[in-house]
Amino acid sequence: MIFTVAIDGPAAAGKGTISRAVADRFGFRHLDTGLLYRAVGVKGGDPARAARELTPGDLTRGDLRTLEAGQAASRVAALPEVRAALVDFQRRFARSEGGAVLDGRDIGTVICPDAEVKLYVTASPEVRAHRRWLELGGDEARVLAEVKERDARDMGRADAPLKPATDAVVIDTSAMAIDEAVATAVAVVAARLRGT
């Protein structure tokens, strides 16, 4: 079975948690595409070369979930040559046998515009910054400023800006418990699998 679930949204909206839960629930493979960009960003050097030479081992680094890696990912993701180097990898993963869930910023709009399910997971900047602060610590006001800065960069870039696909189901997690958000996403996927 070939079945792709594309999950997009801004940082700390809950898309990673929802994506892993959906993949587990349906037995699909999961790819956090942000890790690709984080790995390229933290490798340093020429970003396009780093993207072309990315290995599975690069995705297991312990420093990929830091705030610094997230900022580096946002910077290199704005480079068309980096995006081009990673597109084929993502598309092959998405259309492999057995079903796949990909989460990122442009999965439903650019990488997999024909995905069987497209979700856009979002939350207010304040809620997302608070979640990120709980996860990483630091100065909460600074975290909010960085979330807003990253949103502006991700939504404003010329190549593959962050935005919901026109046919995406939007899930706003601002006032949702994670179980509720996961249940909402699972229901959408289950309905599509049933053909309804």
Side-chain angles (χ1 to χ4, degrees), residues 50-161:
R52 288 191 301 272
E53 297 175 355
L54 201 63
T55 68
D58 292 324
L59 304 180
T60 63
R61 292 177 56 137
D63 60 350
L64 295 183
R65 295 288 179 193
T66 64
L67 196 57
E68 293 76 17
Q71 292 292 337
S74 183
R75 285 190 294 274
V76 300
L79 303 173
E81 60 273 22
V82 169
R83 302 192 76 76
L86 297 176
V87 164
D88 286 343
F89 176 89
Q90 294 172 77
R91 286 182 175 157
R92 281 193 308 274
F93 185 95
R95 299 316 280 174
S96 58
E97 188 66 33
V101 178
L102 287 80
D103 71 80
R105 301 283 191 286
D106 64 348
I107 307 305
T109 55
V110 175
I111 303 300
C112 301
D114 296 325
E116 283 74 16
V117 173
K118 297 176 196 171
L119 303 175
Y120 188 83
V121 179
T122 190
S124 73
E126 292 75 17
V127 167
R128 292 185 291 114
H130 185 70
R131 290 173 182 165
R132 186 52 50 91
W133 173 76
L134 289 173
E135 178 185 355
L136 301 174
D139 175 23
E140 192 167 3
R142 179 172 175 253
V143 174
L144 176 59
E146 289 172 350
V147 163
K148 289 181 176 180
E149 173 189 319
R150 182 164 183 190
D151 285 352
R153 191 167 49 240
D154 290 348
M155 293 173 186
R157 65 184 177 223
D159 189 31

